[in-house]
Amino acid sequence: MLAIRADADGRIGLGHAMRCFALAETWCAQGGEAVFFSGAALPDPVLARLDGAGIEHRVLSAPDNGHDFAEAAAGTGARWLVIDGSFATPGYLDLVGKAGLPVLLLDDAASAERYPCDLLLNQNVQASPDQYTGRTGARVLAGPGFALIRADMRRAVPPRTIPERPQRILVLVGGADPGGHLEALAQAAAQALLKAGLGDGHVDAVIGPASTWQPPADAGPMIAYHRGVKDMGALIAKADLAISSAGSTVWELSLQGTPMILGASVPVEEPVGAGMAARGAALYLRRFSDCLPEQLVAEIVRLLQDSAMRRKLSATASALVDGRGAERVIDAMLGIEAGTGIP
């Protein structure tokens, strides 16, 4: 049994919960079972995923108490505890550790004083085991080779074609869009298509499942807003380039070799965007809130008009992610169970 502790809502988005779900469904596909604990009710799309995979969901009465989670997890017969979220302070993890069960911690910032766990995963492009030296005795899994991607996104990934004349731009801001950037980004994409002489182009803008924002009735003929997307992989496959926040969606875009322009909606996304740009896998705008509309339009036009740059970004991004991250993480977990520490 895999016992997971993660949250999702309109403030933090769905990324923590969905990457844990990706791990859980792979665990279950290999014959295991999983149970998902959260500190509050989860958004309906997350619950639907869990239900469809046969994963039980429970809400904790004391969400910030590591002892309560560990006790509840132990009661399910858990073999591993998986923890993902800002609530997982060193003190929280100390309490969890008293249960005597191995702990996998998912981290993004490498900013804690210490990391009392058995296996530490940072799937971001800028991550390195060296960032955690002296702060943990855990085995560290670092980089997008360990990116946790859902099974529906990994199936039948189509080959990426880079057209000389791009037609479709996909705009994504994560599951919640707490900064309210989606409309401005979609409008900038439409303006860029016109400035690039691509007036017959199209913008697909995805409203996140945890967002309550309603699109305008007069968005214009070039922009289509999508809510409740069932097949995100198909939308990504149709896109000639994407404008996205630098969250977990980056790895889904990378898997399909999508040329992308990234921005940060929240501070934790800034090093991811900068890291992708440093690797030559994306263009990075810094914080969306600091980006002037004319700067955004100019950057999109530049990428629309440069097929060689789009090909380079595509090839570099797709080389980072192969969709087998969850399998590698589980191999590491099984290696620790076997006492080897390696798969």
Side-chain angles (χ1 to χ4, degrees):
M1 177 69 75
L2 192 70
I4 294 168
R5 171 70 182 93
D7 294 319
D9 57 36
R11 180 181 61 85
I12 66 170
L14 275 62
H16 296 288
M18 293 309 289
R19 65 187 182 184
C20 285
F21 169 76
L23 179 66
E25 68 172 349
T26 302
W27 178 272
C28 292
Q30 295 185 11
E33 295 180 297
V35 58
F36 199 110
F37 293 87
S38 63
L42 293 173
D44 288 343
V46 179
L47 291 175
R49 291 275 184 185
L50 295 175
D51 186 61
I55 297 171
E56 181 185 357
H57 170 239
R58 301 184 187 182
V59 178
L60 294 166
S61 58
D64 296 325
N65 189 317
H67 177 268
D68 282 10
F69 165 60
E71 187 175 67
T76 69
R79 289 167 53 188
W80 272 87
L81 308 182
V82 179
I83 302 173
D84 186 355
S86 60
F87 59 85
T89 63
Y92 180 96
L93 294 170
D94 285 338
L95 291 175
V96 170
K98 291 181 179 180
L101 294 169
V103 174
L104 164 62
L105 176 67
L106 279 67
D107 183 55
D108 293 302
S111 60
E113 179 182 341
R114 54 192 179 86
Y115 292 87
C117 58
D118 300 277
L119 189 61
L120 178 55
L121 168 62
N122 185 330
Q123 65 179 21
N124 296 308
V125 68
Q126 79 281 2
S128 165
D130 293 342
Q131 292 176 293
Y132 298 94
T133 300
R135 291 187 286 164
T136 187
R139 180 186 177 195
V140 178
L141 308 178
F146 297 100
L148 303 175
I149 299 176
R150 302 191 316 267
D152 62 299
M153 299 294 295
R154 303 194 308 263
R155 294 191 191 102
V157 176
R160 170 63 60 181
T161 300
I162 305 297
E164 291 296 324
R165 194 173 189 278
Q167 293 287 298
R168 300 186 80 96
I169 298 177
L170 178 62
V171 182
L172 303 155
V173 286
D177 189 21
H181 301 300
L182 183 63
E183 183 177 14
L185 295 175
Q187 291 290 343
Q191 292 175 32
L193 284 166
L194 291 172
K195 285 199 171 188
L198 301 167
D200 56 344
H202 187 77
V203 178
D204 292 299
V206 177
I207 302 171
S211 173
T212 59
W213 179 77
Q214 296 296 324
D218 57 346
M222 298 180 72
I223 302 174
Y225 287 100
H226 303 265
R227 188 189 295 275
V229 175
K230 300 297 184 185
D231 190 353
M232 184 64 73
L235 270 183
I236 293 174
K238 289 193 297 184
D240 296 313
L241 67 91
I243 304 166
S244 175
S245 56
S248 297
T249 305
V250 167
W251 315 125
E252 297 167 357
L253 294 169
S254 295
L255 181 64
Q256 293 206 26
T258 313
M260 64 186 101
I261 299 174
L262 301 176
S265 295
V266 292
V268 74
E269 294 176 350
E270 293 182 56
V272 179
M276 288 291 286
R279 294 285 287 269
L283 302 182
Y284 178 50
L285 301 167
R286 302 182 186 178
R287 293 189 183 188
F288 282 134
S289 58
D290 295 337
C291 187
L292 297 175
E294 55 268 27
Q295 293 175 320
L296 176 57
V297 171
E299 196 73 348
I300 300 170
V301 169
R302 181 165 76 97
L303 191 54
L304 286 169
Q305 294 179 333
D306 192 336
S307 60
M309 182 185 294
R310 281 183 278 117
R311 276 192 290 272
K312 182 178 179 182
L313 293 175
S314 173
T316 305
S318 64
L320 294 174
V321 179
D322 64 3
R324 297 186 58 204
E327 296 175 19
R328 295 187 180 99
V329 173
I330 291 172
D331 284 346
M333 295 165 70
L334 297 178
I336 288 174
E337 280 191 338
T340 64
I342 59 174

